[in-house]
């Protein structure tokens, strides 16, 4: 459960970081959408970061790409800690 909490926190932080870089998506909206996407993912049994990226940054391809890159980078770093 502790690991899941860390992953959820990471997903929320990265959504906020990406939303800060794009004027068309308010941070609070990105956070709320991320929370909803995480909840839906947990109901289905697994967290799919691609699905979360699609829901949060639906029509902004560059934001989706940046989100994917940041999540991937953070997960790689955390594996080595």
């Amino acid at each position: 459960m502790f690991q899941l909490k860390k992953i959820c926190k990471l997903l929320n932080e990265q959504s906020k970081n990406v939303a800060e870089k794009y004027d068309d998506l308010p941070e609070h909206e990105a956070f709320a959408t991320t929370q909803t996407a995480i909840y839906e993912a947990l109901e289905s049994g697994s967290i799919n970061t691609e699905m979360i990226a699609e829901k949060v940054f639906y029509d902004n391809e560059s934001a989706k790409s940046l989100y994917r890159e940041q999540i991937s980078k953070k997960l790689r770093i955390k594996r080595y800690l």
Side-chain angles (χ1 to χ4, degrees), residues 1 11 15-16 22-24 28 32-33 42 50 55-56 65:
M1 186 64 166
L11 295 172
S15 291
K16 182 179 178 256
Y22 295 91
D23 293 333
D24 62 332
H28 67 278
T33 306
L42 291 174
E50 184 63 33
K55 288 189 179 236
V56 178
S65 178

Side-chain angles (χ1 to χ4, degrees), residues 1-79:
M1 186 64 166
F2 183 68
Q3 187 70 13
L4 179 60
K5 190 173 184 177
K6 281 184 172 183
I7 290 171
C8 291
K9 182 178 178 183
L10 172 72
L11 295 172
N12 281 316
E13 287 173 352
Q14 296 314 308
S15 291
K16 182 179 178 256
N17 289 342
V18 171
E20 286 175 348
K21 295 178 182 349
Y22 295 91
D23 293 333
D24 62 332
L25 184 62
E27 290 174 44
H28 67 278
E29 188 177 313
F31 179 78
T33 306
T34 302
Q35 289 292 96
T36 301
I38 290 171
Y39 178 77
E40 290 171 359
L42 291 174
E43 282 187 325
S44 73
S46 67
I47 294 178
N48 180 333
T49 57
E50 184 63 33
M51 183 268 302
I52 293 172
E54 287 293 326
K55 288 189 179 236
V56 178
F57 305 108
Y58 48 92
D59 62 346
N60 189 330
E61 292 300 321
S62 56
K64 283 191 275 191
S65 178
L66 179 59
Y67 181 75
R68 288 185 207 109
E69 288 172 23
Q70 287 185 349
I71 293 294
S72 178
K73 181 180 176 184
K74 294 287 183 178
L75 290 176
R76 277 195 309 269
I77 290 170
K78 289 191 182 293
R79 284 187 193 130

